[in-house]
Amino acid sequence: MKAFLGAAAALGLLALAPSAHAARDYVWAAGSSTVFPFSTRVAENFAKKTGKKSPKVESLGTGGGIKMFCGGMGEGFPDIANASRPMKKSEFEACKAKGVKDIIEIKIGFDGIVIAMDKKSPDYNFKLEHLYLGLAQNALRGGQFVNNPYKTWKDVGSGLPANRILVYGPPPTSGTRDAWVELAIEGGAKKFPTIKKLHDADEKGFKAKVDPMRKDGAWIDAGENDNAIVGTLTKTPGALGVFGFSFLEENANVIKGAAVNGVKPTPQTIANGSYPVSRSLFIYVKKGQVGVTPGLKEFLNEFVSDAATGRGGYLQGRGLIPLPPTQHDAAKATASKLTLMAPPKA
C-alpha cells in the first residue's frame, strides 16, 4: 500500500513539473508589417496541407517583433521574428542575454519602399536628395543644418509639384522605417559633400543630425497598418504615403508610385537594385524550438518552398519579389540544415 501511495505521489509531482515541451500547440510568428501578409499566406497553406493548427502571425513592426522574440525561450515567446531588415548586433546580444542563442536567419525575398499617392495626383520624380531635404528634421541650407523650413515640394526641387509636404509613414518600431531612413533619408543626405564628410568622420554624429524625421506635421507616424495609409491617401488631397511595394501592387487601382532617381518601383527594378529604395526581407527562427513547437519545421519548409517563395510562387502573387535561384536554393538549404546565423557586425 505504501509503495502504491509513493508511486502515486511521484506521478502527481511529475504532472506538476514543467513540461520539457511547449504547451503551445501552434507556431507563433511576430514582427514586420511588410512580411505579415506573406507569413499569413504561408500559415494558411501550411494549415491546409498539414491539417495542423494555423500559426499565429502578429504585425508588431520589425523592432517590436524581434524584441518579443528575444524575450526568452519557450511557449511564452514567438518561435519566429518576421523582419524587413537584418537583425542588429544589439538585438542579437539582447537575444543571447535572455537565452535565445541559436538563431537561424533566412532571407525570403525583396521588397521596395514606395512613395505613393492617389491616382488623381500629379506624378512625382524624386531624387534621393529631395526626400532628405523635404522630410528630415534637420535640413542642410547654406552649408548649415537648420530646422526644416520647406513647406511645399516645389520649394525642395523646382521640377516637383507645388503640393504641401504631407507624408504618412511607418513608426520608429517598424523595419520599414529603419530601411526608409537608411536608404532614402541618409542616402539623400550623403549626396551633399558637407554631410558625406560628416558621415565619413563621425557616423554617430551624422545619424544624430540626419535621421530624425520632421515633427511639425509634414511627416506623420501612421502606425503599423499600411492599409490605413492607403485609405488616407485616397481621402487626403496631396498626401503621400511610405510603405512596402506589395501594398502599392494590391491597391494599384487607386494609388500610384513615384519614381526615385528616374526609376519607378516594379518587381524588376526592385530585384535588380536599380530602384534605389529597395531591401531584403527575413525571418528569424529559434533552432531550440524546432521539435518542441509542433509544426515549426514544416512551417519553415513551407516558407522556403518553391511553391511559396520560388519564382512564380504564390507569394509572388502577393507582391513578394523572389530571390535569384541561387539565393533561393541557399535559403532552402539553411532551412533544411537549420544552419545558425553569424553574429551581426553592426
Side-chain angles (χ1 to χ4, degrees), residues 30-275:
S32 166
S33 63
T34 301
V35 179
F36 175 77
F38 306 135
S39 197
T40 301
R41 182 64 189 278
V42 173
E44 290 167 359
N45 278 33
F46 159 84
K48 283 178 188 173
K49 287 182 180 180
T50 65
K52 295 181 185 293
K53 189 178 284 189
S54 185
K56 174 184 176 182
V57 183
E58 292 184 287
S59 178
L60 305 174
T62 296
I66 291 178
K67 185 176 180 181
M68 187 180 283
F69 173 86
C70 289
M73 296 293 289
E75 65 184 277
F77 305 94
D79 307 297
I80 296 171
N82 296 329
S84 53
R85 57 159 172 79
M87 181 180 280
K88 299 174 183 176
K89 182 180 180 181
S90 60
E91 292 168 332
F92 185 84
E93 292 298 327
C95 264
K96 198 173 172 183
K98 292 286 190 176
V100 183
K101 297 177 180 178
D102 295 338
I103 303 172
I104 303 160
E105 178 187 72
I106 299 175
K107 187 190 289 190
I108 60 165
F110 302 108
D111 183 42
I113 302 174
V114 301
I115 304 97
M117 68 289 303
D118 184 81
K119 271 213 160 175
K120 297 171 188 173
S121 297
D123 290 329
Y124 285 76
N125 186 2
F126 290 110
K127 292 181 179 177
L128 284 177
E129 302 94 293
H130 296 151
L131 298 174
Y132 158 67
L133 288 175
L135 295 170
Q137 178 65 35
N138 304 304
L140 190 72
R141 201 171 192 186
Q144 301 291 323
F145 286 105
V146 298
N147 200 38
N148 200 311
Y150 299 111
K151 303 297 181 188
T152 72
W153 285 112
K154 193 172 183 180
D155 297 336
V156 173
S158 58
L160 296 173
N163 289 343
R164 65 174 172 150
I165 299 173
L166 175 62
V167 180
Y168 293 84
T173 54
S174 170
T176 302
R177 171 69 161 264
D178 292 335
W180 165 256
V181 168
E182 179 187 347
L183 298 170
I185 304 302
E186 291 183 2
K190 284 187 283 189
K191 298 290 184 183
F192 297 93
T194 302
I195 305 181
K196 180 67 168 64
K197 192 175 178 181
L198 171 63
H199 170 268
D200 294 344
D202 178 12
E203 189 170 357
K204 270 192 176 179
F206 162 80
K207 286 179 175 291
K209 280 292 185 187
V210 169
D211 289 7
M213 303 297 289
R214 291 177 71 162
K215 300 175 181 69
D216 58 359
W219 171 273
I220 297 172
D221 289 340
E224 293 289 356
N225 188 343
D226 293 334
N227 282 314
I229 300 179
V230 172
T232 300
L233 299 186
T234 61
K235 298 169 190 171
T236 312
L240 306 181
V242 170
F243 41 74
F245 174 76
S246 61
F247 291 93
L248 172 65
E249 198 164 58
E250 284 174 17
N251 297 279
N253 58 322
V254 292
I255 59 173
K256 59 184 178 180
V260 180
N261 289 357
V263 181
K264 285 267 196 180
T266 68
Q268 292 73 32
T269 60
I270 292 167
N272 66 26
S274 59
Y275 179 69

Side-chain angles (χ1 to χ4, degrees), residues 18-36:
S19 171
H21 292 274
R24 177 160 43 80
D25 62 349
Y26 56 87
V27 174
W28 180 9
S32 166
S33 63
T34 301
V35 179
F36 175 77

